[in-house]
Amino acid sequence: MPERDEPTGALVRPYVVTRGRTRPKLEIALEALVETTVRGRSGMIRGGQGGSEHQYIAAMCDGGRVQSLAEIAARMQLPLGVARVIVADMATDGLVAVYEPTSLEDETDAVGTELLERVLSGLRRL
C-alpha cells in the first residue's frame, strides 16, 4: 500500500461521500470480509477509479490482506453505514469481493454441533 495519510471522516461530511444515500446496494454484515479483486486492483492503479475512499479501501484490502467491514470503517474513521454504502458500491462494480460469514444455522454437521456443545459445557464448568 502506498504511504499516505489515512482519510478521516472529519474532512468530508459522510453524506457527501455517499452522495446522500443511506442504504447500501447490497446488505453486508458487519463482520463480512472484503478483498480487492483483480479488476479493482487494475482499475485503481490505472486511472484512480472512484474517490479517495475507494482507492484507500482497494489499497487496504489488497495483496491478501482481507479486512472486515467494521475494520474498514474504523480505520477510515467513518460511520459504519457510510463504509457499508461505499463497500457495497465497490462490490457491485466488481472492485472488491465480499465474503459473508456463514451462519451456524446452516451447519448440519453433527460433529460441529457436538463440538459446540462440549465447548459450551466446558464454559459452564468454569
Side-chain angles (χ1 to χ4, degrees):
M1 180 169 85
E3 291 296 317
R4 60 181 172 192
D5 293 332
E6 293 183 9
T8 63
L11 297 176
V12 178
R13 295 274 186 206
Y15 62 83
V16 173
V17 174
T18 62
R19 293 181 227 117
R21 291 177 299 124
T22 58
R23 302 249 188 255
K25 294 177 182 178
L26 305 168
E27 282 303 316
I28 301 173
L30 178 69
E31 64 275 14
L33 298 177
V34 180
E35 180 179 32
T36 303
T37 62
V38 173
R39 180 177 181 195
R41 194 173 307 116
S42 65
M44 295 298 151
I45 292 170
R46 271 187 291 147
Q49 268 183 347
S52 62
E53 294 81 15
H54 291 80
Q55 293 173 7
Y56 186 76
I57 291 170
M60 185 188 331
C61 301
D62 194 18
R65 295 173 295 177
V66 296
Q67 303 283 318
S68 72
L69 178 63
E71 290 171 312
I72 291 169
R75 290 183 74 187
M76 294 184 71
Q77 299 177 2
L78 286 173
L80 183 60
V82 173
R84 185 176 273 138
V85 169
I86 296 169
V87 170
D89 288 350
M90 292 178 73
T92 57
D93 291 341
L95 303 175
V96 296
V98 176
Y99 304 104
E100 292 289 342
T102 57
S103 172
L104 287 178
E105 294 171 5
D106 295 340
E107 191 66 42
T108 58
D109 182 40
V111 175
T113 304
E114 180 183 327
L115 175 63
L116 289 175
E117 288 173 356
R118 288 193 332 237
V119 169
L120 181 59
S121 175
L123 289 172
R124 286 183 178 148
R125 283 188 293 233
L126 293 175

